[in-house]
Amino acid sequence: MPLDISEATPPGERFSLTNAVDADVGANSIKTYYLSESKYFIIDIQTGSDGSKYVDLVLNGNLDREEHAVHNLILTAVDGGVPPRSGTASIIINVLDINDNAPLFSQPVFAVNVSENSAAGTVVMTLNASDLDEGTNAQLTYSYTLYTSEKTQELFSLDPNSGEIKVKGVIDYEESQSFEMHIQAQDRGANPLSGHCKVMVFVTDLNDNYPEVTIKSLKSLVTENVSVGTLIAVVSVSDRDSGVNGEVELTLNQQQTLPFMLNRSSEGYFELLVSKPLDREIISKYDITLRVTDKGSPPLTENETITLEILDINDNAPTFPQSFYTIHVVENNVPGALLTSLSAFDPDLNENQYLVYFIMEKEIVNTSMSMLFSINPENGDLYALKTFDYERERDFLFHIEARDSGVPPLSSNVTVHIIILDQNDNTPLIVSPWRAQGSVVEEVIPRSTDKGHLVAKVIAIDADSEQNSRVTYQLLQISDASLFSLDQYNGEIRTTRMFSYRDPRQQRLVIVAKDNGEPALSATVTIKISTVEHIMPFLETTEVPLDYDVFTDLNLYLVIGLGAVSFLLLITILVIIVLKCQKPKPKAIKIPPANRNSVVSRNSVISQRSSTIADSTLISSDAYWYSLFLAETRKGKVVVRQPIIPKGAGYFVSSIPRSTGISETSDSRASTLEYSK
């Protein structure tokens, strides 16, 4: 027999039970009922008018479904027969619930940790309140109470059915380190009951904030001569994190060589100081990087860059790329032509860098350098103001100064050596055999002359130098090419065979003397050779090379001086010769044999001429020996012709002292040329 009884039923309430049935009658019918033991229920037996027995179930105490939801009772009916018989019935009593229990949390306060910056949807915790009731009386709804702040409700969500708390906003430890939630759980009974708890959410700090550098004061411009220890900047550092995450270190960027250092002041600030001398010409601007790093894991780093410009002072003198300039200028240059550009460099700035060039005055033969050369004061372009002649001036040596515009100004100078280069602008001058301009040189030789006999020697000099002064000789015209030969280097004309009776008595040769310049210049001489049957014998000579060490180490200046003096002397001799040519020819002077030994010496050169030889021949001989001296001394040696003197023959003596040079004497003139090393 099932019964549903509310737990709210008061004690004493009666519940009718189904009576047992017995087919016997009288004493053998149902006599009584028994109920199994129960502290909540008893039975009440009633006897009807007909003697039948009725039973009621009576509530004997307060029911509590949460304590005992189902009661199982056994009802036994017993008859009065002998032996008695009985029958049983099971009574199942279901206690019906009422909302008599409020929801209950396991603890009144919950503490939970959550990391800052947790992603939205992260579960913080799940609340699980309990309600001893059942059905709707046990179905709970979770919600925040009025004691929970709006900010907390914005950051965390609460599921009303499951009680799950999740992150919904951005949690920042630096803003709030903890949150307090007040939560209630309410059942859904007709008269709902609720339970309450408090949830404390503690935010765990993460190293999520970069340290910061704050510039308190800064000098962005300093001069390069600033003293060591000068304060450049004052900075402070901070980190919003806590604990080790908020501990920071400040350093300079080690990837750069910085002449700076950091010093911590007593107030906790960092001072950026100059630690080494500055040089703007090496580094004109510094990007000083301050690096601040916290001690979190992983550590976070922040950089702050300070730009410091270095101001210039005039601490650098102008410098030339070279300390000595050698400039070659070809003679006959155009006045005003640019020679070179002497640009100096000054690493300073602005007016400290602006340079002015000028020539440091120096006089040469009462002529100042500024009259020969000019320099552009702004860019150092050097110009020649006149046309130079290599044969008159060979080089110039002077200084050029570059001065900056700083205060005080700094300067430096450079040595300039101007070397005049020779140009082939002088035509060779034939000095032997000498002849008046436009005239023909006449030579007389016996027809019995042997092969290889020296007929004449052509000597030409060139006022140019080096290649331009090197003269070679060529036969331009010849009557009989088989009879004479010309040495192209020394100009000697010799016979290549003996004369025959078929050969004409007169031969005509045109010799050209050509220099080695580009283009080459030349001069010609015409020699008329007459052959006679008999002639005063000439002195046969042999060539003995005599090396003079005095000439081997001649410097350029001595050679120039010797050439100039020799040229003037030659002109003087030529003038005297021209004057002499206008006088009657004197007879040749014979020196007695007794005096020969006093004249002839180891260094004597003796030449004999017949009294019948024209005076022009004697003059030609003088020029020959003089020009021979000039030509051979250029080669570092002198060729001395030692004569073989026939007894009783007349002769002229030209002495060449070894210590002084050459002196030459004739009956009509005497000239002396001296050279000192």
Side-chain angles (χ1 to χ4, degrees):
M1 291 180 292
L3 288 177
D4 292 329
I5 302 172
S6 172
E7 63 176 333
T9 301
E13 187 75 22
R14 303 175 71 90
F15 301 95
S16 297
L17 298 177
T18 303
N19 293 326
V21 177
D22 192 332
D24 295 326
V25 295
N28 291 330
S29 64
I30 296 173
K31 180 182 180 181
T32 188
Y33 290 91
Y34 299 99
L35 183 66
S36 60
E37 183 179 1
S38 173
K39 69 176 182 177
Y40 294 102
F41 295 94
I42 61 174
I43 57 174
D44 184 21
I45 302 173
Q46 301 289 332
T47 302
S49 59
D50 58 356
S52 61
K53 301 290 184 182
Y54 300 97
V55 63
D56 287 334
L57 183 67
V58 179
L59 180 61
N60 193 38
N62 293 319
L63 295 176
D64 188 351
R65 190 204 65 80
E66 287 73 33
E67 182 180 345
H68 207 159
V70 177
H71 297 268
N72 292 311
L73 302 175
I74 301 298
L75 180 64
T76 303
V78 180
D79 62 15
V82 175
R85 294 182 180 271
S86 64
T88 61
S90 176
I91 301 173
I92 299 174
I93 300 171
N94 292 316
V95 180
L96 300 179
D97 182 55
I98 63 170
N99 192 22
D100 59 344
N101 289 281
L104 183 65
F105 290 95
S106 60
Q107 58 191 64
V109 178
F110 295 92
V112 64
N113 294 325
V114 63
S115 298
E116 67 172 328
N117 301 324
S118 295
T122 301
V123 177
V124 177
M125 70 174 297
T126 300
L127 295 172
N128 189 15
S130 62
D131 195 319
L132 297 178
D133 297 322
E134 67 177 358
T136 60
N137 295 330
Q139 293 178 0
L140 304 180
T141 300
Y142 299 91
S143 63
Y144 290 115
T145 69
L146 297 177
Y147 298 106
T148 305
S149 67
E150 292 183 359
K151 180 179 180 181
T152 302
Q153 296 183 41
E154 290 174 356
L155 296 177
F156 300 93
S157 66
L158 175 61
D159 191 299
N161 297 318
S162 65
E164 191 175 60
I165 302 174
K166 293 182 180 180
V167 175
K168 122 176 132 169
V170 177
I171 303 174
D172 189 353
Y173 174 86
E174 286 67 43
E175 291 186 6
S176 297
Q177 288 77 43
S178 65
F179 299 92
E180 189 174 291
M181 304 177 189
H182 295 269
I183 300 174
Q184 73 172 2
Q186 189 176 48
D187 60 29
R188 298 180 183 179
N191 296 309
L193 300 177
S194 61
H196 298 82
C197 74
K198 182 169 68 174
V199 177
M200 296 296 298
V201 179
F202 295 97
V203 180
T204 302
D205 182 41
L206 295 179
N207 193 24
D208 62 334
N209 286 281
Y210 285 85
E212 297 178 352
V213 177
T214 304
I215 307 298
K216 299 295 183 181
S217 65
L218 173 65
K219 287 182 180 179
S220 58
L221 298 173
V222 294
T223 57
E224 59 180 320
N225 63 342
V226 67
S227 60
V228 173
T230 299
L231 179 65
I232 301 299
V234 176
V235 299
S236 64
V237 294
S238 62
D239 195 314
R240 296 180 61 196
D241 293 322
S242 63
V244 294
N245 294 333
E247 296 178 10
V248 295
E249 290 182 351
L250 181 66
T251 59
L252 293 175
N253 190 350
Q254 297 302 316
Q255 295 180 354
Q256 307 176 26
T257 303
L258 296 160
F260 305 97
M261 66 178 182
L262 287 172
N263 180 46
R264 190 153 196 169
S265 66
S266 58
E267 293 81 8
Y269 295 111
F270 287 92
E271 297 175 338
L272 182 64
L273 307 175
V274 177
S275 62
K276 294 180 182 179
L278 304 178
D279 190 345
R280 190 209 63 82
E281 285 68 45
I282 298 177
I283 300 179
S284 61
K285 184 176 72 172
Y286 289 92
D287 290 326
I288 307 170
T289 301
L290 301 174
R291 172 171 290 179
V292 58
T293 305
D294 61 28
K295 296 183 179 180
S297 180
L300 299 179
T301 300
E302 186 68 26
N303 295 326
E304 181 70 23
T305 300
I306 296 174
T307 299
L308 179 65
E309 293 189 11
I310 311 302
L311 300 179
D312 183 53
I313 63 171
N314 193 26
D315 58 341
N316 291 279
T319 57
F320 287 91
Q322 304 170 215
S323 60
F324 191 92
Y325 284 86
T326 300
I327 302 171
H328 295 88
V329 180
V330 179
E331 65 173 332
N332 303 318
N333 57 292
V334 178
L338 175 66
L339 301 182
T340 189
S341 180
L342 303 172
S343 296
F345 172 73
D346 193 318
D348 293 322
L349 288 179
N350 304 325
E351 67 276 359
N352 298 331
Q353 187 187 40
Y354 298 147
L355 303 182
V356 177
Y357 301 87
F358 56 90
I359 297 175
M360 300 177 69
E361 285 299 334
K362 176 182 177 182
E363 289 191 357
I364 299 180
V365 194
N366 298 326
T367 302
S368 65
M369 283 293 109
S370 59
M371 297 181 64
L372 301 176
F373 302 96
S374 172
I375 190 167
N376 189 317
E378 295 182 357
N379 57 23
D381 289 345
L382 184 65
Y383 300 89
L385 298 181
K386 59 164 289 186
T387 300
F388 297 111
D389 186 355
Y390 175 83
E391 285 69 43
R392 295 180 59 189
E393 48 218 354
R394 299 294 175 89
D395 67 338
F396 302 93
L397 192 68
F398 56 92
H399 300 286
I400 289 178
E401 181 174 311
R403 180 181 300 169
D404 62 29
S405 302
V407 178
L410 300 177
S411 63
S412 64
N413 59 68
V414 65
T415 302
V416 178
H417 187 199
I418 305 292
I419 297 177
I420 309 302
L421 300 180
D422 182 46
Q423 194 177 43
N424 193 27
D425 58 344
N426 288 282
T427 302
L429 175 64
I430 297 177
V431 296
S432 176
W434 184 90
R435 86 283 187 210
Q437 185 175 4
S439 62
V440 177
V441 177
E442 294 187 359
E443 294 286 348
V444 179
I445 61 174
R447 292 185 64 84
S448 60
T449 298
D450 292 333
K451 174 184 177 181
H453 177 74
L454 178 63
V455 177
K457 182 168 183 176
V458 178
I459 297 178
I461 60 176
D462 195 310
D464 294 320
S465 65
E466 298 179 354
Q467 295 293 333
N468 296 330
S469 64
R470 294 179 183 177
V471 180
T472 57
Y473 305 91
Q474 296 177 3
L475 281 169
L476 191 61
Q477 295 180 9
I478 185 171
S479 301
D480 189 345
S482 66
L483 191 56
F484 300 100
S485 66
L486 172 66
D487 191 302
Q488 63 174 336
Y489 299 109
N490 60 23
E492 291 182 350
I493 303 174
R494 295 182 180 271
T495 58
T496 57
R497 60 178 175 83
M498 295 185 63
F499 288 93
S500 67
Y501 68 92
R502 293 193 183 97
D503 294 324
R505 291 188 175 273
Q506 291 186 344
Q507 300 287 334
R508 185 174 180 273
L509 286 74
V510 179
I511 294 91
V512 59
K514 182 186 298 183
D515 62 26
N516 200 33
E518 184 62 38
L521 302 178
S522 62
T524 60
V525 60
T526 301
I527 300 177
K528 181 180 179 182
I529 300 176
S530 301
T531 60
V532 295
E533 295 297 335
H534 301 284
I535 192 170
M536 178 180 288
F538 288 95
L539 295 177
E540 295 183 7
T541 62
T542 60
E543 293 185 359
V544 179
L546 183 61
D547 293 337
Y548 278 146
D549 296 337
V550 70
F551 299 107
T552 59
D553 296 325
L554 290 180
N555 57 48
L556 179 62
Y557 297 100
L558 293 178
V559 173
I560 293 174
L562 177 62
V565 173
S566 302
F567 181 77
L568 294 175
L569 182 59
L570 179 61
I571 295 299
T572 303
I573 292 174
L574 292 177
V575 171
I576 295 174
I577 291 174
V578 172
L579 295 176
K580 272 291 188 178
C581 288
Q582 297 176 356
K583 297 180 181 180
K585 299 177 183 178
K587 295 182 179 179
I589 300 175
K590 291 186 179 181
I591 300 176
N595 296 330
R596 291 175 185 172
N597 293 334
S598 62
V599 176
V600 179
S601 64
R602 184 174 65 89
N603 294 325
S604 299
V605 179
I606 304 174
S607 60
Q608 179 176 327
R609 288 285 187 263
S610 172
S611 60
T612 59
I613 298 176
D615 190 47
S616 62
T617 304
L618 296 178
I619 296 172
S620 175
S621 177
D622 292 339
Y624 168 81
W625 290 113
Y626 171 72
S627 59
L628 175 63
F629 171 76
L630 292 181
E632 297 302 331
T633 51
R634 289 183 177 179
K635 302 176 183 179
K637 62 176 68 178
V638 174
V639 176
V640 179
R641 297 185 179 276
Q642 296 182 345
I644 301 175
I645 307 172
K647 185 177 181 181
Y651 55 85
F652 296 94
V653 179
S654 177
S655 178
I656 310 178
R658 189 176 184 85
S659 60
T660 59
I662 297 177
S663 65
E664 184 178 46
T665 306
S666 69
D667 63 330
S668 59
R669 63 207 173 279
S671 62
T672 301
L673 190 67
E674 294 186 356
Y675 172 81
S676 298
K677 185 175 182 181

